[in-house]
Amino acid sequence: MIPVTPVDHPDVTDWLEPLFAFTHADAQQLIADFHTEMHHGLSGKNSSLKMLPTFIGRPSGKETGRFLAMDLGGTNLRVIAVKLDGKGQAQVGDTSRFVIPVEIMQGAGDRLFDFLARCVQTFFSLHDFDPQRRYDLAFTFSFPVDQRAIASGSLIEWTKGFTASDVVGKDVVALLAAALHDRGVKNVRVCALANDTTGALMARAYGDANCDMGVILGTGSNACYPETRLDRLSGMSAVAVDEMIINMEWGNFDKLTPTEFDRMLDRDSPNPGRQWLEKMVSGMYLGELVRLVIVAMIDRGSLLTPGDQRFFTNPYSLTSAHLAQPDAMAGFGLEHIKPTDAQAIARIAELVFNRAARIAGTAIAAVVTWMDSELSRSHTIAVDGSLFEKYPGFRRQMLAIIDELYPERADHIQLKLTSDGSGTGAAIIAAVAAGQSHR
Ligand code: BGC
């Protein structure tokens, strides 16, 4: 996202700038609506925030052990070996990455799980693992899951373009265990189920006691935090723990006002009517929103030429990665456009990304003030994902709205890039789970 100077283009200034503005008043409304939805979600009432219990609290930093972690949540799959030293440090060892073909993401569920099992086999053979030794594997499965125990949970719905059949409603740990068994991998026990947000929170909290929130701003978006007022968790008070991390599934929050472009994107997405906040905030969708705006402006005759339409006909062809480049349109195959058009497109991208960052920053503020209404203590927020990592302007805009909202206490919210949550964090979850089962 390249900061641009104000653009002298009537459609941009009079139409798009107000349309994509996310004002101070919008932010205050979001915080109030988040608190209501969080309360409803926790107390079992109808809510767009699922507020899913994860059956785990934060680590002490003393957890030890060697674990494998499998990370499924986007277009890549990773298998990782992790060692925890018990002193707040984790060592990531052998790692294998696999690209998940679209036909696997969107095909039959048993093929997807067989693919995962084959990746574990490949990992073992690439890194000379002992087939006789037993390994505990933590499964980071970054989709909404109705968790029943630390190593059991059924998929509520797919997000982020996954549609594999016959998985919704099934226990994904059981599916992975069965696929491993069918492939003859008998020395691996799937011992924990994690979300990438919990992974990020655990990875940071292992060495930082102030860390109380995990946030993902990547292909998808979501957050988790430890809930201490367990009386608010319907049916959970029987679990003997001091706190439980809640996977909010904030991507599904639906109290924001969508623009006509958000509605168009939603209508043609694989999951219409779902994941409204995610579709306004996360990397999978921001390029598509910009594409839809560009197409509308070409139609109105106020940008590029009618002949340029053909560059923008394919959904999802314009990506966040294109828009991060200094000369986004050249990278997209459109060379030699007028400087005023290039400026207008850069400004449109800036509007869409800024709105996303301001919504994300406000949502973080909402969760932090839920935990600590006066912002009286320091909160480290473990943040992972390409938007946060690769677009410096994104973090700046998140901090700007937090500062606008809480000018006196904004420094009590520290955003820390936490890159290996899904590996390290998942291993820590496995270790905490092992500790819990021994208690
Ligand atoms: C999923 C979440 C996940 C987030 C970030 C969303 O689409 O529903 O479970 O944490 O993406 O990967």
Side-chain angles (χ1 to χ4, degrees):
M1 192 173 33
I2 311 302
V4 289
T5 46
V7 173
D8 184 17
H9 185 301
D11 263 358
V12 174
T13 50
D14 303 348
W15 176 39
L16 299 171
E17 284 180 359
L19 192 67
F20 283 100
F22 185 74
T23 63
H24 191 98
D26 295 332
Q28 283 174 320
Q29 188 61 49
L30 185 149
I31 293 175
D33 289 340
F34 243 64
H35 288 176
T36 308
E37 293 286 281
M38 288 173 77
H39 183 70
H40 286 170
L42 288 173
S43 48
K45 295 197 188 118
N46 197 21
S47 170
S48 63
L49 293 176
K50 296 189 179 72
M51 308 299 285
L52 304 167
T54 61
F55 293 83
I56 201 100
R58 280 173 296 172
S60 64
K62 298 197 177 108
E63 294 77 8
T64 54
R66 299 163 82 97
F67 297 91
L68 299 179
M70 167 175 275
D71 174 20
L72 173 74
T75 44
N76 289 311
L77 172 87
R78 294 185 312 157
V79 184
I80 309 151
V82 185
K83 191 170 156 202
L84 306 175
D85 72 356
K87 297 184 195 112
Q89 296 290 322
Q91 228 178 32
V92 174
D94 296 319
T95 302
S96 295
R97 281 170 208 282
F98 306 87
V99 175
I100 309 173
V102 179
E103 63 273 20
I104 295 284
M105 282 166 68
Q106 300 183 346
D110 50 4
R111 283 193 62 208
L112 170 65
F113 281 85
D114 180 54
F115 179 83
L116 304 186
R118 280 190 286 132
C119 291
V120 173
Q121 275 183 319
T122 309
F123 171 86
F124 280 154
S125 60
L126 284 175
H127 301 292
D128 274 339
F129 271 66
D130 178 357
Q132 302 310 321
R133 220 190 110 181
R134 295 197 62 78
Y135 295 97
D136 277 342
L137 179 140
F139 185 22
T140 305
F141 181 79
S142 300
F143 300 95
V145 161
D146 186 9
Q147 209 156 338
R148 291 292 148 88
I150 185 66
S152 160
S154 55
L155 175 63
I156 299 173
E157 63 193 355
W158 284 119
T159 56
K160 296 177 284 197
F162 276 69
T163 54
S165 60
D166 282 331
V167 187
V168 171
K170 303 251 170 80
D171 185 336
V172 294
V173 171
L175 290 179
L176 179 59
L180 286 165
H181 185 269
D182 290 349
R183 277 272 156 198
V185 183
K186 307 251 162 81
N187 57 332
V188 172
R189 185 177 71 106
V190 188
C191 65
L193 178 61
N195 182 265
D196 49 3
T197 54
T198 28
L201 168 51
M202 297 298 265
R204 175 64 60 183
Y206 192 53
D208 176 351
N210 285 339
C211 180
D212 54 7
M213 192 173 172
V215 174
I216 302 293
L217 293 165
T219 307
S221 183
N222 188 16
C224 71
Y225 73 99
E227 182 57 76
T228 48
R229 289 164 292 186
L230 290 172
D231 52 318
R232 295 190 178 203
L233 286 171
S234 64
M236 285 297 143
S237 39
V239 180
V241 286
D242 308 329
E243 65 175 35
M244 177 163 330
I245 296 173
I246 300 295
N247 168 12
M248 298 179 69
E249 288 295 335
W250 83 10
N252 194 48
F253 179 72
D254 67 359
K255 302 285 174 273
L256 292 158
T257 308
T259 66
E260 62 206 78
F261 299 105
D262 299 306
R263 289 189 192 285
M264 270 190 249
L265 181 147
D266 174 65
R267 192 192 56 210
D268 295 332
S269 69
N271 52 350
R274 320 287 309 157
Q275 303 293 104
W276 278 107
L277 181 143
E278 178 159 277
K279 288 170 182 165
M280 295 184 186
V281 163
S282 80
M284 176 163 171
Y285 302 102
L286 298 188
E288 177 64 0
L289 277 176
V290 173
R291 185 189 73 84
L292 292 170
V293 177
I294 293 175
V295 169
M297 285 180 69
I298 299 177
D299 277 348
R300 287 158 73 104
S302 75
L303 188 75
L304 300 170
T305 64
D308 291 327
Q309 275 284 14
R310 67 197 162 91
F311 287 96
F312 296 97
T313 43
N314 287 337
Y316 295 91
S317 52
L318 184 63
T319 63
S320 306
H322 286 121
L323 295 170
Q325 302 306 315
D327 192 353
M329 285 302 105
F332 188 60
L334 253 177
E335 307 223 12
H336 313 303
I337 63 173
K338 285 194 295 190
T340 48
D341 282 342
Q343 276 283 318
I345 292 173
R347 178 67 181 147
I348 295 165
E350 191 182 46
L351 293 175
V352 169
F353 276 71
N354 283 356
R355 183 186 67 161
R358 287 172 71 83
I359 294 173
T362 306
I364 288 176
V367 179
V368 173
T369 52
W370 171 266
M371 294 186 281
D372 171 15
S373 57
E374 300 301 318
L375 277 183
S376 55
R377 44 178 211 277
S378 272
H379 301 265
T380 307
I381 320 297
V383 192
D384 195 9
S386 50
L387 278 181
F388 185 74
E389 187 175 356
K390 298 195 182 138
Y391 303 86
F394 206 87
R395 179 198 197 113
R396 258 199 317 275
Q397 290 291 327
M398 290 170 71
L399 291 172
I401 184 73
I402 294 173
D403 199 49
E404 273 171 46
L405 288 164
Y406 307 106
E408 310 286 317
R409 298 275 167 95
D411 61 342
H412 280 193
I413 301 183
Q414 295 285 324
L415 309 182
K416 291 272 166 68
L417 177 67
T418 305
S419 295
D420 199 39
S422 303
T424 311
I428 297 165
I429 291 172
V432 173
Q436 277 181 359
S437 62
H438 293 154
R439 251 176 237 155

